[in-house]
Structure formats: structure tokens, C-alpha cells
């Protein structure tokens, strides 16, 4: 069986070694970098199933690396390692197109779970030729870009997965837990504590709503979840 290869970019040696040990134990091949520049070069030239990316790094920071990867490859799975208290870091990472984040200090069990969920999700086929419409906005699902706009507006794969899932359940509100289960691949039983859904919904609203504070299409149903109106 071909082992999946991960790249871990982390400058704290003890954390890096711990992560390498854990993922090797779980059957991955692991490549690593302890410096931002080296991490960037490896990320752009290697062929990785997933990249774990620390934010604070010597020479080049994790946001810059994430941004450069996305310029070249919109589908590369990326999970950012952020500081627990830093909401700004989390929002920035997800805005630059990371698939998810995990806040330090993290539990190894949760990190492995998330890596496996992102990888599983990424192997599912999607309707790459489709045009998705919400309100007056049309999205080219293959190229992750809005069609009928003067300035190009790009979406992340994860954002489009959310729209697709809400659309296929558009007769009812969809809860945050359901989105975590079906879009991120996390099982409810794992009781994951994350703001990733809310942050992604806010990002989507800024892209598809004329007034993100008063959404007309991606609405909140109080106490139940989110609903996509068409
Ligand atoms: Ca660091």
C-alpha cells in the first residue's frame, strides 16, 4: 500500500518531533521543515497529501506560505496550527484558504482525527463541471470562481462544499454539527470544539451577500442552524 505523505512545518523542535512520531505511528510518510523558507520550498515542489503549517516561523510565516501554496494549487489540503487565543490568526488562516485550523496546545488524538477527516473529504469526487447559482451569483465549480463579476471573486473548495451541502438540504435549516459531520468529515461523537463553521459562513456571506449583516440567501435560523435560500 502506498503511504500518504505529509509535510509538517513547525519550528519548535519538541513539537515537530512529537508530530513526526505520531504520524509515522499512524502510517504516514512524514517530511518536515523547521524554517519558513525551507517549508515554503518543500510545499511548492513536493507532492503532499496534506500540509500541517505553523503560523509563527523563522524567515517566512505560515500565512505567507499558505497564500503562496494557494496561488499555485487550490486543492492542496492545509491545516494551520494557531495559537489558542488568537482569533485573528484563525480567521486569517481560513481566509487564505486553509482547510481547517487547530489551536495550540492541541490534543494529538484530535489532530490525527482532523487530518484523516480532511484527507477523506478530499478524496470524494465533486461535480466539477457544474455551475452553481445563488441569488444572482454564478459560480464555476471547477475553477472556484464567480463567473458574472467584474473583479474575480474566488472561493475555497471548503466554501463550495458548504454551499453544495446547504443546497441539497435547502428545505430545512442545517445545524453546525451536521456541517462539521458532512462537510468536514468530523463525527458528532467526537464533540469537536471549533469555530471553523461560523468563520466560513461569515466569509461566504461577504462573497455572496450584498449586505453580509442582513443576509438574504445564507440565512441563520435561530437555534437551528443555517439555511440556503434560492
Ligand atoms: Ca512557531
Amino acid at each position: 500500500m502506498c503511504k500518504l505523505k505529509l509535510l509538517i512545518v513547525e519550528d519548535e523542535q519538541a513539537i515537530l518531533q512529537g508530530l513526526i512520531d505520531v504520524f509515522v505511528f499512524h502510517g504516514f510518510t512524514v517530511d518536515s521543515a523547521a524554517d519558513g523558507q525551507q517549508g515554503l520550498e518543500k510545499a511548492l515542489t513536493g507532492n503532499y497529501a496534506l500540509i500541517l503549517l505553523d503560523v509563527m516561523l523563522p524567515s517566512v510565516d505560515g500565512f505567507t506560505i499558505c497564500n503562496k501554496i494557494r496561488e499555485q494549487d487550490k486543492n492542496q489540503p492545509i491545516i494551520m496550527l494557531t495559537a489558542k487565543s488568537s482569533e485573528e490568526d484563525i480567521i486569517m488562516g481560513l481566509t487564505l484558504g486553509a482547510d481547517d485550523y487547530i489551536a495550540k496546545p492541541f490534543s494529538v488524538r484530535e489532530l490525527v482525527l482532523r487530518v484523516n477527516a480532511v484527507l477523506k473529504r478530499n478524496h470524494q469526487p465533486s461535480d466539477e463541471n457544474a455551475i452553481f447559482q445563488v441569488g444572482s451569483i454564478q459560480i464555476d465549480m471547477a475553477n472556484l470562481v464567480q463567473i458574472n463579476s467584474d473583479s474575480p471573486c474566488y472561493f475555497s473548495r471548503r466554501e463550495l462544499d458548504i454551499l453544495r451541502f446547504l443546497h441539497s438540504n435547502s428545505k430545512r435549516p442545517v445545524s453546525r454539527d451536521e456541517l462539521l459531520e458532512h462537510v468536514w468529515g468530523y463525527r458528532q461523537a467526537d464533540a469537536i470544539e471549533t469555530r471553523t463553521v461560523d468563520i466560513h459562513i461569515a466569509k461566504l456571506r461577504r462573497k455572496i451577500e450584498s449586505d453580509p449583516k442582513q443576509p438574504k440567501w445564507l440565512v441563520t435560523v435561530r437555534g437551528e442552524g443555517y439555511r440556503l435560500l434560492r
Side-chain angles (χ1 to χ4, degrees), residues 119-180:
L119 288 172
K120 191 171 80 192
R121 188 70 212 163
N122 237 60
H123 280 113
Q124 293 189 359
S126 53
D127 47 341
E128 294 293 359
N129 297 319
I131 302 287
F132 190 93
Q133 178 133 13
V134 50
S136 62
I137 291 174
Q138 292 184 321
I139 303 163
D140 172 348
M141 300 298 263
N143 296 302
L144 319 183
V145 65
Q146 185 184 339
I147 296 170
N148 49 348
S149 88
D150 299 332
S151 54
C153 172
Y154 285 93
F155 292 80
S156 70
R157 267 176 58 104
R158 192 70 52 169
E159 288 167 347
L160 296 183
D161 286 346
I162 294 170
L163 287 180
R164 208 183 271 134
F165 186 75
L166 290 175
H167 171 58
S168 58
N169 295 280
S170 63
K171 290 192 167 58
R172 62 179 183 86
V174 173
S175 72
R176 190 178 286 121
D177 281 351
E178 265 188 282
L179 284 170
L180 280 175

Side-chain angles (χ1 to χ4, degrees), residues 16 40 48 52-53 56-58 61 64 69 73 78 84 93 99 103 157 164 174 183 192-193 211:
L16 177 60
L40 176 61
Y48 300 104
L52 274 178
L53 195 52
M56 298 289 283
L57 292 164
D61 68 58
T64 306
I69 295 169
D73 183 351
I78 301 170
K84 182 136 207 143
D99 290 275
R157 267 176 58 104
R164 208 183 271 134
V174 173
V183 175
I192 280 170
E193 184 64 38
D211 180 0

Side-chain angles (χ1 to χ4, degrees), residues 23-165:
F23 284 102
V24 167
F25 175 78
H26 280 90
F28 293 89
T29 300
V30 179
D31 199 356
S32 67
D35 165 88
Q37 184 61 37
Q38 191 195 17
L40 176 61
E41 282 162 20
K42 286 192 173 184
L44 294 181
T45 53
N47 187 13
Y48 300 104
L50 185 141
I51 298 175
L52 274 178
L53 195 52
D54 188 27
V55 173
M56 298 289 283
L57 292 164
S59 71
V60 181
D61 68 58
F63 296 136
T64 306
I65 297 174
C66 183
N67 202 22
K68 297 230 187 255
I69 295 169
R70 277 288 169 267
E71 283 174 7
Q72 181 178 306
D73 183 351
K74 297 212 183 310
N75 293 317
Q76 170 70 61
I78 301 170
I79 297 180
M80 305 284 297
L81 306 174
T82 65
K84 182 136 207 143
S85 53
S86 181
E87 179 140 326
E88 275 175 27
D89 280 7
I90 293 166
I91 293 172
M92 174 68 104
L94 296 178
T95 300
L96 290 173
D99 290 275
D100 202 358
Y101 70 91
I102 188 154
K104 290 177 174 177
F106 46 78
S107 90
V108 164
R109 184 183 155 275
E110 185 172 343
L111 179 61
V112 172
L113 203 117
R114 296 224 191 170
V115 165
N116 282 325
V118 167
L119 288 172
K120 191 171 80 192
R121 188 70 212 163
N122 237 60
H123 280 113
Q124 293 189 359
S126 53
D127 47 341
E128 294 293 359
N129 297 319
I131 302 287
F132 190 93
Q133 178 133 13
V134 50
S136 62
I137 291 174
Q138 292 184 321
I139 303 163
D140 172 348
M141 300 298 263
N143 296 302
L144 319 183
V145 65
Q146 185 184 339
I147 296 170
N148 49 348
S149 88
D150 299 332
S151 54
C153 172
Y154 285 93
F155 292 80
S156 70
R157 267 176 58 104
R158 192 70 52 169
E159 288 167 347
L160 296 183
D161 286 346
I162 294 170
L163 287 180
R164 208 183 271 134
F165 186 75

